[in-house]
C-alpha cells in the first residue's frame, strides 16, 4: 500500500511517497529558511502563509517524482504535532482534503516519532530495541525505543534544544540563520581546544545548553570586530565540541541504562559531522533525512493507526506532546 506523507510543522513544506514495505519513492522538501533568515528565526505567520503557497505544488512534485498518481495512494500520513499550530494546520488541511476526496484513510503522525521512524526505511531498517538521541531545532530527547510504535523518554533538555544552541551560537558568531550547518562547516577550520566552554552538569539523563550559549555570549562580547574575525573558526569549533560532548555523553550513559546494544541518532543535529564522527558505533539517519522531511512522516504512518473517513475531518493540530 503506497503512502503519501505530508509535513509542515515548522519552516519546511515537504511531501514524500513511501511503499507499504518501507521503500522511499520520492521526498520533496521546500525549505523556507531563506525567507526567515532576515528575521533571525522562524516567523510563524510567515511560515503558515508560505506553506499555503507551497503545499499543493510540493505534493504534486512528490507524486510525480515517485511516478505514481493519487489513484495509487492507499493512505495519507500527516504531521499533527508538535510544531507551530498555524503551520501544522496547513499540512493537516491539505492531507484531509486529499484523503477525503479519494475516500482514503488518514494517519495523524507525531513529528518526534516521525524523526525516529526515519530509521525504519529500507534498504537497511534498524530493528528496535535501541537507544536513540533525537536532537533537532525544537527538541533534544534521549529515548529508549522498544518497538516501532513508540518510545520512553529517558532525558530531555531543560532549556534550549541542541539545534537551538547551534542556531543561537551561530547568530552570536554572525553566521546567520539557521546556523547548525554553518558552525559545522566553519568548525573544520578551527581549533576545538582553543576555548573551554562549560558543559552543564545536570542530574540524570537531562541536558542543558543555555549556560553554554551565555558563555559564548560573554566571550564574544569582549572581542573587537577584528578579534572576532580571527577567532571565529576556533570559537565555532570549541562551541560545537561542547555540544557534541554533552550529546555523546548522554547517549552513552542512556545506553548503559537501557542495556540495548544498538544506538541511533536522528533529527537535524544528526547531520553534524563531528557528532557523526564521535559516535562511530551509532546508526545515524541518512544526511538528507536528518532535518525535517515527509519521508519520515510516511515511514511513521506505516506503524500508527489509520483513521477512516470522515472521522478525521475534525482532527486538530497540537503544539506540544511532552
Ligand atoms: O529536525 P529539524 O529540521 O527541525 C526541528 O524539528 O526542529 O532540525 C533543525 C535544526 C536546526 O537547529 C539546525 O541548525 C540544525 O538542525 N542542524 C545542524 C546541522 N544541520 C542542521 N546542527 C548541527 N550541525 C549540522 N550540520
Ligand atoms: Zn523536526
Amino acid at each position: 500500500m503506497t503512502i503519501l506523507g505530508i509535513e509542515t510543522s515548522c519552516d519546511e513544506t515537504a511531501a514524500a511517497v513511501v511503499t507499504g514495505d518501507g521503500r522511499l519513492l520520492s521526498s520533496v522538501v521546500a525549505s523556507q529558511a531563506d525567507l526567515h533568515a532576515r528575521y533571525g528565526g522562524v516567523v510563524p505567520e510567515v511560515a503558515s502563509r508560505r506553506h499555503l503557497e507551497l503545499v499543493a505544488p510540493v505534493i504534486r512534485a512528490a507524486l510525480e517524482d515517485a511516478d505514481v498518481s493519487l489513484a495509487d495512494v492507499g493512505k495519507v500520513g500527516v504531521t499533527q504535532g508538535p510544531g507551530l499550530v498555524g503551520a501544522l494546520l496547513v499540512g493537516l488541511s491539505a492531507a484531509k482534503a486529499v484523503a477525503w476526496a479519494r475516500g482514503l484513510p488518514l494517519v495523524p503522525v507525531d513529528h518526534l516519532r516521525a524523526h525516529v521512524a526515519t530509521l525504519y526505511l529500507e534498504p537497511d531498517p534498524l530493528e528496535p530495541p535501541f537507544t536513540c538521541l533525537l536532537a533537532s531545532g525544537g527538541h533534544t530527547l534521549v529515548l529508549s525505543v522498544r518497538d516501532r510504535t513508540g518510545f520512553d523518554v529517558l532525558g530531555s533538555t531543560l532549556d534550549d534544544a541542541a539545534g537551538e544552541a547551534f542556531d543561537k551560537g551561530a547568530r552570536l558568531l554572525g553566521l546567520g540563520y539557521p546556523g547548525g550547518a554553518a558552525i559545522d562547516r566553519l568548525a573544520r577550520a578551527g581549533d576545538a581546544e582553543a576555548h573551554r566552554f562549560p558543559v552543564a552538569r545536570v542530574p540524570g539523563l537531562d541536558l542543558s545548553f543555555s549556560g553554554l550559549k551565555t558563555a559564548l555570549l560573554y566571550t564574544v562580547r569582549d572581542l573587537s570586530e577584528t578579534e572576532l574575525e580571527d577567532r571565529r573558526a576556533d570559537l565555532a569549533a570549541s562551541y560545537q565540541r561542547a555540544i557534541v560532548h554533552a550529546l555523546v555523553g548522554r547517549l552513552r550513559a542512556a545506553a548503559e541504562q537501557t542495556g540495548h546494544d544498538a544506538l541511533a541518532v536522528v533529527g537535524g543535529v544528526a547531520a553534524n559531522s563531528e557528532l557523526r564522527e564521535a559516535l562511530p558505533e551509532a546508526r545515524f539517519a541518512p544526511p538528507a533525512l536528518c532535518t525535517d522531511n515527509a519521508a519520515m512522516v510516511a515511514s511513521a504512518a506505516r506503524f500508527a493507526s489509520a483513521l477512516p473517513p470522515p472521522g478525521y475531518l475534525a482532527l486538530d493540530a497540537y503544539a506540544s506532546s511532552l
Side-chain angles (χ1 to χ4, degrees):
M1 170 187 294
T2 304
I3 304 163
L4 170 67
I6 300 171
E7 152 69 38
T8 62
S9 67
C10 190
D11 63 341
E12 268 92 24
T13 317
V17 178
V18 165
T19 61
D21 55 2
R23 281 176 300 119
L24 179 59
L25 299 186
S26 69
S27 175
V28 175
V29 181
S31 174
Q32 308 177 6
D34 291 350
L35 188 64
H36 299 280
R38 76 179 91 155
Y39 307 109
V42 178
V43 183
E45 182 67 24
V46 173
S48 308
R49 285 164 187 264
R50 193 76 180 126
H51 283 308
L52 266 181
E53 292 167 1
L54 291 172
V55 71
V58 164
I59 291 172
R60 214 171 288 128
L63 292 169
E64 263 173 36
D65 283 5
D67 208 12
V68 299
S69 75
L70 270 183
D72 304 314
V73 172
K75 59 182 174 182
V76 180
V78 62
T79 307
Q80 188 187 10
L84 303 169
V85 168
L88 287 161
L89 284 173
V90 176
L92 193 55
S93 306
K96 286 177 188 175
V98 170
W100 171 244
R102 305 212 58 99
L104 296 173
L106 184 111
V107 190
V109 169
D110 182 90
H111 183 83
L112 304 177
R113 282 169 201 233
H115 270 297
V116 177
T118 311
L119 301 163
Y120 306 144
L121 287 166
E122 293 291 336
D124 189 20
L126 181 64
E127 206 48 58
F130 54 88
T131 311
C132 187
L133 170 69
L134 192 175
S136 70
H139 297 88
T140 299
L141 301 168
V142 184
L143 308 168
S144 170
V145 181
R146 286 163 288 108
D147 57 43
R148 288 186 173 191
T149 61
F151 49 63
D152 294 320
V153 178
L154 305 177
S156 67
T157 180
L158 302 177
D159 38 61
D160 295 345
E164 198 179 350
F166 270 106
D167 294 338
K168 288 178 175 172
R171 192 195 304 203
L172 291 169
L173 294 174
L175 297 175
Y177 172 86
I183 290 195
D184 192 349
R185 266 193 307 276
L186 184 61
R188 285 179 212 146
D191 174 8
E193 307 290 326
H195 297 267
R196 220 156 252 297
F197 288 118
V199 174
R201 292 181 187 281
V202 182
L205 292 171
D206 289 336
L207 295 127
S208 163
F209 294 108
S210 64
L212 176 64
K213 171 195 64 194
T214 309
L216 179 65
L217 169 68
Y218 288 157
T219 308
V220 168
R221 208 179 46 179
D222 295 337
L223 297 179
S224 70
E225 201 41 55
T226 40
E227 283 172 325
L228 176 60
E229 195 57 53
D230 290 345
R231 292 195 212 166
R232 194 176 269 129
D234 288 348
L235 287 164
S238 305
Y239 187 75
Q240 172 172 284
R241 174 66 53 88
I243 297 175
V244 168
H245 262 182
L247 295 175
V248 169
R250 280 309 193 242
L251 181 58
R252 292 220 171 107
E256 266 176 39
Q257 195 169 304
T258 61
H260 303 326
D261 288 334
L263 293 184
V265 188
V266 298
V269 178
N272 185 264
S273 54
E274 184 174 350
L275 183 60
R276 294 177 92 95
E277 278 160 31
L279 284 165
E281 74 275 38
R283 270 287 293 275
F284 280 78
L289 301 182
C290 288
T291 47
D292 289 345
N293 63 83
M296 65 186 198
V297 177
S299 178
R302 292 170 63 211
F303 310 106
S305 5
L307 306 174
Y312 53 69
L313 291 176
L315 218 58
D316 204 355
Y318 54 83
S320 61
S321 56
L322 298 167

